[in-house]
Amino acid sequence: MKTNKGNVVNPVKIGLLGLGTVGGGTINVLKRNASEISRRAGREIQVTHAAARDITRARICDTTNITLTTNAHEVISDPDVDIVVELIGGDKLARELVMKAIANGKHVVTANKALIAKHGNEIFSEAQKQGVMVAFEAAVAGGIPIIKAIREGLAGNRIEWLAGIINGTGNFILTEMRDKGRDFHAVLADAQRLGYAEADPTFDIEGVDAAHKLTILASIAFGIPLQFDKVFMEGITNITQQDVVYAEELGYRIKHLGIASRTNKGIALRVHPTLIPERRLIANVDGVMNAVLVQGDAVGPTLYYGAGAGSEATASAVVADIVDVVRTLTSDPENRVPHLAFQPDAINNTPILSMLDVETAYYLRISATDKPGVLADITQILGKAEISIEAIIQKEPARNETAVDIIMLTHRILESQMNAAIEEIEALASINTKVMRIRVETFDN
Ligand code: HSE
């Protein structure tokens, strides 16, 4: 290929680590769109080396002209490789390989959210010293270019908060439960078969995967270090079909959200199931689709929507990162877009709030013995704790049952106050099971 000035330039050589769902998708997209991609990048891009645990297994891609190995170290130390694309997942071997690749002067593209969330501070610091780029668009929300949008497109804003459906598997499960009344585990098995779920699917359903992604989004939104261990996490395993139905009756949908927000006491980082008014666009993001809502002080709310998982959707982000890296190969490292959006010496340590200090509204489902005075006892506890009730529904007991469901929506209150009230309610003689609590957000500012 020739540059604008007529000079002949060599193809950029990619060494791929991992030939699974995303690795296969990346090869397919790079091959199919080779001509469009090189018109954009200004160079041809060739995958020349690839490492996989088992190179004999049938691939979902064509590996002709690619040197295959089971030893990833061969790829990261091959002098011919310009960019290492890490798609093996996990954070131990991946960390070792990425740190070595950086030390070898390779640029890195990764889709690995656990790696960036847990070791990103160290990785970016090393990359800066070595003058190489580490790009990670595919780590958050699959194919949605959310990193670029926040890091570059919204660079003029003070970001106030962001909230996202950032785990496709969890959203797929909640959607199928709502639309088809399907069993949680059957839907999870489908998500695994379709290649959406993590190698350890508890990461999807317990909120770990979403917390990895939220850690990354919060860092680039607020200019803070990556702090995965400070994210509050609650999964979707306790959500029942009843909760889905009751939420609908109240005009809400249940979504598993990652929320990062500034308060005057610090930054709140939380992942939990959330009731959202059904009129909000984000409440209508279904299946494996992801969406991130970002509130900037200048632009107001902006919403980014797209496929959050899957082979070519994620490959789309990986390839975009490769193009970005190729375009800046010859630029002065000091003048590149900073990895975490803010200049490294301008990252600050705004405190992260404890969940106890977070204020939100609540949905409560209380299973109580059907006898006079129960509701009065509950409302008295809530009143004493200064928790005002916005809506209340009491259900008829099912046939031959003595327990009734009482469903309440409250106004906003500190989590610590709600914890104390729930403890008192659970201690009542007429309450036999744990109170189900789901946080509620309306996103009206
Ligand atoms: N398991 C993840 C999800 C894959 O379901 O969203 C994409 O990160």
Side-chain angles (χ1 to χ4, degrees):
M1 185 159 182
K2 287 187 181 171
T3 63
N4 291 343
K5 292 178 184 154
N7 302 327
V8 177
V9 282
N10 293 327
V12 174
K13 295 187 174 139
I14 307 290
L16 203 61
L17 310 181
L19 277 177
T21 307
V22 182
T26 300
I27 290 183
N28 288 339
V29 172
L30 280 171
K31 283 215 164 145
R32 189 174 67 241
N33 297 338
S35 137
E36 288 290 272
I37 291 167
S38 63
R39 284 173 65 211
R40 291 188 173 105
R43 302 266 296 268
E44 274 172 44
I45 296 169
Q46 287 176 357
V47 178
T48 52
H49 299 71
R53 253 186 319 210
D54 177 3
I55 52 174
T56 58
R57 270 176 46 200
R59 299 281 157 234
I60 51 170
C61 60
D62 172 8
T63 52
T64 317
N65 298 329
I66 301 177
T67 306
L68 297 175
T69 174
T70 52
N71 183 359
H73 288 272
E74 283 175 14
V75 176
I76 59 170
S77 52
D78 193 305
D80 278 350
V81 169
D82 301 301
I83 303 173
V84 169
V85 177
E86 184 278 305
L87 302 172
I88 57 174
D91 69 302
K92 289 195 176 61
L93 177 61
R95 174 182 166 274
E96 183 191 327
L97 293 169
V98 164
M99 290 300 280
K100 281 196 179 155
I102 293 169
N104 292 343
K106 312 287 186 202
H107 299 276
V108 174
V109 171
T110 177
N112 191 332
K113 50 265 162 131
L115 175 75
I116 298 298
K118 291 171 77 177
H119 305 294
N121 298 321
E122 169 194 31
I123 288 171
F124 297 134
S125 159
E126 198 51 32
Q128 207 203 343
K129 279 191 212 143
Q130 297 293 337
V132 298
M133 290 177 71
V134 177
F136 53 96
E137 183 64 72
V140 183
I144 307 175
I146 188 65
I147 302 295
K148 203 173 213 19
I150 297 177
R151 191 164 58 183
E152 298 173 46
L154 300 180
N157 286 260
R158 176 183 158 89
I159 309 282
E160 308 289 356
W161 52 261
L162 59 87
I165 296 171
I166 44 181
N167 181 268
T169 301
N171 202 41
F172 182 55
I173 293 172
L174 289 174
T175 305
E176 294 281 300
M177 279 173 77
R178 191 195 75 221
D179 289 354
K180 301 180 189 154
R182 288 187 66 203
D183 171 69
F184 188 105
H185 295 284
V187 188
L188 177 58
D190 277 359
Q192 289 177 287
R193 189 175 44 78
L194 294 165
Y196 301 151
E198 294 302 296
D200 175 356
T202 60
F203 275 35
D204 296 292
I205 59 181
E206 299 296 356
V208 181
D209 178 72
H212 286 146
K213 294 164 178 167
L214 186 72
T215 301
I216 299 170
L217 290 178
S219 178
I220 61 168
F222 304 130
I224 56 172
L226 295 146
Q227 296 165 87
F228 168 67
D229 51 351
K230 299 207 178 134
V231 181
F232 172 84
M233 244 183 279
E234 188 179 293
I236 57 172
T237 47
N238 290 333
I239 302 288
T240 65
Q241 193 67 39
Q242 282 168 309
D243 293 315
V244 174
V245 171
Y246 293 154
E248 294 244 8
E249 281 181 35
L250 290 159
Y252 290 79
R253 299 261 166 91
I254 302 175
K255 293 290 173 192
H256 200 200
L257 291 189
I259 305 173
S261 54
R262 286 183 202 265
T263 75
N264 48 20
K265 290 195 213 132
I267 289 170
L269 298 178
R270 51 196 168 112
V271 170
H272 52 68
T274 312
L275 262 73
I276 314 172
E278 66 191 2
R279 64 180 182 280
R280 296 268 172 250
L281 278 176
I282 195 166
N284 293 280
V285 171
D286 288 335
V288 73
M289 303 308 271
N290 280 195
V292 184
L293 182 57
V294 185
Q295 175 80 18
D297 69 335
V299 70
T302 52
L303 180 67
Y304 307 86
Y305 168 87
S311 175
E312 290 207 359
T314 311
S316 163
V318 170
V319 174
D321 269 351
I322 295 174
V323 170
D324 251 4
V325 173
V326 171
R327 283 173 175 152
T328 55
L329 277 177
T330 52
S331 75
D332 167 10
E334 295 299 316
N335 292 322
R336 294 181 186 142
V337 177
H339 291 113
L340 289 175
F342 291 71
Q343 296 299 333
D345 57 1
I347 301 277
N348 67 32
N349 263 316
T350 310
I352 305 299
L353 284 187
S354 150
M355 190 62 199
L356 297 176
D357 297 323
V358 169
E359 193 187 272
T360 181
Y362 294 85
Y363 156 103
L364 302 178
R365 173 170 51 80
I366 306 167
S367 174
T369 308
D370 187 20
K371 61 178 192 193
V374 177
L375 191 55
D377 289 344
I378 296 169
T379 53
Q380 201 193 6
I381 291 171
L382 293 175
K384 211 171 58 178
E386 298 186 352
I387 300 173
S388 36
I389 298 165
E390 185 174 303
I392 187 162
I393 306 176
Q394 181 168 344
K395 293 285 170 186
E396 290 290 316
R399 190 198 294 247
N400 301 327
E401 291 275 343
T402 52
V404 287
D405 275 347
I406 298 168
I407 298 99
M408 291 179 172
L409 287 185
T410 75
H411 285 278
R412 293 175 78 81
I413 187 83
L414 281 181
E415 176 96 355
S416 55
Q417 282 172 272
M418 182 51 85
N419 287 351
I422 288 178
E423 210 175 298
E424 269 198 66
I425 293 171
E426 286 175 346
L428 291 171
S430 47
I431 307 297
N432 308 316
T433 58
K434 290 235 149 265
V435 171
M436 176 63 179
R437 153 244 310 263
I438 309 178
R439 298 165 188 89
V440 180
E441 293 291 344
T442 53
F443 302 122
D444 37 20
N445 58 38

